[in-house]
Amino acid sequence: MNTEEQFKNIISHCKEYGFIFPSSEIYEGLAAVYDYGQNGVELKNNLRTYWWKSMVQMHQNIVGIDASIFMQPKVWKASGHVDGFNDPMIDNKDSKKRYRADVLIEEYIEKINSKISKEVLKASERFGEKFNHNTFLSTNERVLNYKNEIDRIEVILKQSLESGELANLKKLIEELGIVCPLSGTKNWTDVRQYNLMYSTQMTATDGESELYLRPETAQGIFVNFLNVQKTGRMKIPFGIAQTGKAFRNEIVARQFIMRMKEFEQMEMQYFVKPGSELKWYNYWKNYRMKWHLSLGTNSVNLKYHDHLKLAHYANAAVDIEYSFPFGFKEVEGIHSRTDYDLSRHQEFSGKKIQYFDNETNSNYTPYVIETSIGLDRLFLLQMCENLKEEKLENGEIRSVLKINPNLAPYKIAILPLVKKDGLTEIAEKIYNDLKFDFACFYEEKDTIGKRYRRQDAIGTPFCVTVDYDSLKDETVTLRNRDTMEQSRIKIDILGKMLSEEINWKNLLSKL
Ligand code: ATP
C-alpha cells in the first residue's frame, strides 16, 4: 500500500467502524467539519483523559480551568489576533483553488527531504554494514547540494514571512517552479493575507456587537491568570491547563481531521520567573516528547521542528511533528512566549496583572511557556501509527488497531458462543460485573471469528468467549488482540486481570 492508499484506508476505516463521520452527511456534508462517532468519542475522551491526568493530576503546581468560547472582543485585540492572525494565501487562476503560500513552499522542501532519504536508502543498501549514516550525510555531494538548497529556501521563506513581504513569497514560488496540484500550471495570483477568526453577533439592549469564536483556548487562561493565582494561592512556577473547542476559518481545509474549521485544543500555560524561561522551555519540550513516546509511538515517526519564523514576542518555539502519510506535520507546539500575553492584557484592560514574589519582595510580570496540542491531530496520529493490516495464516487480512489499551474505546468484549443453553446468562453476568470499572462490549450475533475481527478493528485489547466449558468449570476463553493468543481464565479473576493490564498508572509512571 502506498502512503496515499494508506491514508484513504484510514479515512474509510474511521467511517466504517464508527470513529469519524463527515458532518451533516445526509446534506452532502460541510467541508473540513467532522463528527466523532460511537467509537471515536471514546478514543478521543481517553486521549483527553490521559493528557489531563499527565498534565494536571501528575503536577502539584498545575491546575485546570474551563473558560468560555465567547470572550470580550477586546481580548482578541489585545492578543493580536484581530490585526495579525492571518495566513498568506495564493490562488491558482486556472483551477481557482486557494493555497497557503508558505505551505506550498514547505511541501516543496519536504520533497527535497524525501530525495535525501532515497539517497540514504540507496547508499545503505549498496554499502551494507559499512554504511555510516552521519558520514554519508556530511560528505555525499548530492545530499550536500540538496541540503544547501533547503537552507537557501528556508532563509528566503523566513525573511519574507517575518518582514511581511508577500511579493517575495510569490517570487519564490515562481522561481521554484511550484505548480498547482490540480491544474498543473504556474498561473498564480499575488499572495494576500486572510484573517482566520470567525465572527458572529451578540444582541444586547444597546444594539448588536461583534463577537469572535475563539481561535485558540490560551487566551481564556491568560485573562484568568489573576483569578486562578489568587484563589488557588499558586506560587510561581505554576501552570494552568485547559481543553476545549477552537475555531479557525481555514480556507485550505484538507487532509481529513488534520486541518478543521472546528477543532479541539489541549493547552497548558506555565508561568515562570523571567530569566528561567529557557530552562522550563527545555523541560516541557522533553516532557511532551516523552509523553508521545509513552503511548508507544515509534520514535522514528516523531521529530522536533524548530520554528523558522519566531513571533516577535517569542524567544524559542518548536513543533513536535509526526510522520503522517502525507509527510512530517505539526501535532503540537511548545512556545516560550515571554511576558507578551500578560503585558498586553494589562495594557488593554488597564488592570495590573503581576505576581508578587515573597522571596524577593518584588512584583513582576511572569513569562510563559506554552504547550499546545490539537486533540484531533493526536487522534489522527494514533490512527496512522496503530492501524495495521496483517496477513493471517489462512491468507485473510485482518485490520487491527493496536492502540494502547488505555485508549481503546472498549477494554473487553464479552461474546457468548451461541445464544442458547444458558451461555448468554453467564455472559450477561460477566458484563454486569465488569461494567462498573471497564467499558465493556457485549455481542451475540455472527460467528465468533467475525466478532473477533470487528473488535480488532476498533482496538479492543481483550475478548472473552463464553462456551460450553464455561458451564462446567466457570472459565472463559480470553483472546489477546495483538497476539491473537487464546487461553482459559477463571471468570472470577477477569476483573483483577483487566485492572493489572489496563490502568492509567502503567502509562503515567513512564513519564
Ligand atoms: P498549522 O501551522 O498547522 O496551521 P498552527 O501553528 O497554526 O498550526 P497552533 O496555533 O500552534 O497551530 O495550534 C496548536 C495546535 O492546535 C497545533 O499544533 C495543532 O495540533 C492544532 N491545530 C491548529 N489548527 C488546527 C486545525 N485547523 N485543525 C486541527 N487542529 C489544529
Side-chain angles (χ1 to χ4, degrees):
M1 223 190 300
N2 65 32
T3 51
E4 203 172 309
E5 284 164 358
Q6 188 203 347
F7 192 43
K8 277 200 187 132
N9 184 43
I10 288 167
I11 298 173
S12 57
H13 189 95
C14 281
K15 168 120 196 271
E16 192 180 337
Y17 288 97
F19 285 99
I20 298 171
F21 308 125
S23 156
S24 336
E25 200 187 4
I26 55 169
Y27 293 100
E28 286 151 31
L30 183 62
V33 186
Y34 291 91
D35 297 339
Y36 284 81
Q38 68 279 16
N39 292 318
V41 68
E42 298 289 347
L43 171 50
K44 190 179 179 204
N45 284 344
N46 292 336
L47 283 167
R48 195 190 300 103
T49 300
Y50 181 45
W51 184 88
W52 192 268
K53 281 183 183 293
S54 61
M55 299 299 279
V56 180
Q57 194 176 322
M58 288 293 109
H59 291 91
Q60 278 181 19
N61 63 345
I62 301 182
V63 292
I65 63 165
D66 183 16
S68 297
I69 287 172
F70 288 139
M71 301 183 79
Q72 235 284 346
K74 282 184 202 153
V75 167
W76 304 109
K77 194 79 191 148
S79 68
H81 283 82
V82 172
D83 299 317
F85 194 47
N86 303 315
D87 273 347
M89 311 297 296
I90 191 166
D91 294 22
N92 182 271
K93 290 184 199 161
D94 298 319
S95 67
K96 309 268 181 292
K97 274 275 163 194
R98 186 163 288 167
Y99 300 91
R100 255 176 72 177
D102 54 335
V103 171
L104 282 180
I105 296 165
E106 275 165 10
E107 282 172 357
Y108 184 88
I109 294 174
E110 203 45 53
K111 279 193 193 140
I112 309 182
N113 268 324
S114 41
K115 285 185 189 164
I116 297 181
S117 307
K118 274 195 195 131
E119 292 292 335
V120 171
L121 190 70
K122 263 200 306 196
S124 67
E125 281 168 5
R126 189 153 21 102
F127 293 114
E129 283 191 357
K130 277 187 264 153
F131 180 68
N132 183 308
H133 190 257
N134 289 340
T135 314
F136 181 75
L137 284 185
S138 56
T139 54
N140 180 276
E141 202 172 326
R142 214 174 283 164
V143 169
L144 289 177
N145 285 340
Y146 284 141
K147 285 214 265 184
N148 286 340
E149 176 64 353
I150 292 178
D151 289 346
R152 186 185 74 83
I153 299 171
E154 284 187 341
V155 168
I156 305 176
L157 177 60
K158 179 173 185 251
Q159 278 167 355
S160 319
L161 290 173
E162 276 178 359
S163 63
E165 282 174 37
L166 302 180
N168 287 349
L169 281 183
K170 181 176 179 187
K171 234 166 83 191
L172 185 59
I173 288 174
E174 286 175 339
E175 185 223 301
L176 298 174
I178 296 177
V179 296
C180 163
L182 280 182
S183 66
T185 73
K186 300 175 199 162
N187 195 6
W188 297 109
T189 61
D190 287 342
V191 178
R192 276 164 297 168
Q193 297 279 25
Y194 283 86
N195 194 289
L196 288 165
M197 278 199 296
Y198 283 107
S199 63
T200 182
Q201 270 78 42
M202 184 160 80
T203 310
T205 44
D206 56 350
E208 298 246 302
S209 63
E210 192 177 31
L211 276 189
Y212 296 105
L213 295 188
R214 67 179 177 199
E216 62 174 30
T217 53
Q219 298 305 321
I221 292 179
F222 293 128
V223 299
N224 278 299
F225 169 78
L226 284 181
N227 284 337
V228 174
Q229 193 270 319
K230 295 221 155 81
T231 58
R233 298 189 301 134
M234 308 302 289
K235 289 229 165 355
I236 280 202
F238 74 89
I240 305 178
Q242 174 172 220
T243 70
K245 286 279 175 109
F247 303 82
R248 292 184 190 177
N249 192 3
E250 300 276 9
I251 294 162
V252 188
R254 280 183 307 161
Q255 291 157 340
F256 194 37
I257 55 170
M258 185 71 195
R259 189 168 296 285
M260 298 155 93
K261 298 189 176 198
E262 174 182 342
F263 58 100
E264 190 165 339
Q265 287 187 316
M266 307 195 285
E267 298 198 295
M268 193 277 300
Q269 322 289 325
Y270 201 69
F271 299 95
V272 305
K273 194 171 179 172
S276 68
E277 72 274 14
L278 292 181
K279 178 182 95 185
W280 287 112
Y281 168 77
N282 283 320
Y283 171 85
W284 285 109
K285 184 176 155 180
N286 291 331
Y287 187 90
R288 293 305 307 156
M289 183 59 97
K290 225 165 148 191
W291 189 90
H292 287 279
L293 295 171
S294 72
L295 283 172
T297 304
N298 190 333
S299 60
V300 299
N301 291 335
L302 289 164
K303 72 173 186 196
Y304 291 119
H305 175 84
D306 284 311
H307 275 210
L308 277 180
K309 179 196 167 199
L310 274 189
H312 61 93
Y313 48 82
N315 60 7
V318 69
D319 293 335
I320 293 180
E321 294 189 339
Y322 175 73
S323 172
F324 289 100
F326 39 85
F328 268 100
K329 289 276 165 345
E330 169 181 350
V331 177
E332 168 154 16
I334 296 120
H335 312 127
S336 173
R337 299 177 62 98
T338 67
D339 60 356
Y340 175 78
D341 305 274
L342 292 182
S343 300
R344 291 280 288 190
H345 286 304
Q346 174 164 288
E347 184 189 332
F348 279 69
S349 68
K351 304 270 178 338
K352 188 171 161 196
I353 307 181
Q354 290 211 321
Y355 174 78
F356 180 73
D357 191 332
N358 282 324
E359 280 167 24
T360 56
N361 244 350
S362 60
N363 283 308
Y364 60 81
T365 309
Y367 273 33
V368 172
I369 306 300
E370 158 181 279
T371 73
S372 173
I373 179 167
L375 179 50
D376 311 273
R377 281 193 196 174
L378 176 64
F379 190 108
L380 186 57
L381 180 164
Q382 287 299 323
M383 282 290 167
C384 296
E385 180 74 13
N386 296 305
L387 184 59
K388 314 272 182 211
E389 303 264 284
E390 289 181 354
K391 196 158 185 192
L392 303 178
E393 274 170 17
N394 64 5
E396 272 179 35
I397 303 280
R398 76 159 181 156
S399 290
V400 51
L401 186 64
K402 291 187 165 175
I403 37 173
N404 182 288
N406 285 288
L407 302 180
Y410 294 101
K411 310 306 178 206
I412 189 160
I414 297 145
L415 315 169
L417 190 62
V418 290
K419 260 199 281 183
K420 52 183 186 183
D421 301 332
L423 299 191
T424 48
E425 283 77 2
I426 299 180
E428 273 173 22
K429 182 168 183 317
I430 297 175
Y431 180 91
N432 285 325
D433 282 346
L434 295 180
K435 72 181 178 189
F436 297 99
D437 297 313
F438 303 98
C440 305
F441 190 92
Y442 181 88
E443 194 175 42
E444 298 171 346
K445 282 189 294 290
D446 278 338
T447 63
I448 202 72
K450 279 192 186 153
R451 282 183 270 172
Y452 284 159
R453 286 293 161 275
R454 281 200 291 270
Q455 295 308 312
D456 287 345
I458 63 170
T460 309
F462 297 105
C463 290
V464 297
T465 307
V466 179
D467 55 20
Y468 286 102
D469 283 345
S470 312
L471 294 168
K472 288 185 241 150
D473 58 8
E474 293 179 354
T475 64
V476 284
T477 300
L478 179 74
R479 176 186 180 271
N480 182 301
R481 174 195 73 192
D482 296 343
T483 61
M484 294 191 290
E485 271 168 18
Q486 301 191 6
S487 54
R488 292 303 285 187
I489 180 169
K490 279 267 181 208
I491 292 171
D492 60 4
I493 60 163
L494 267 177
K496 187 164 165 279
M497 180 284 298
L498 278 180
S499 42
E500 275 165 13
E501 293 285 329
I502 308 174
N503 63 68
W504 290 114
K505 193 173 172 186
N506 284 351
L507 260 183
L508 291 164
S509 54
K510 288 189 203 164
L511 293 172

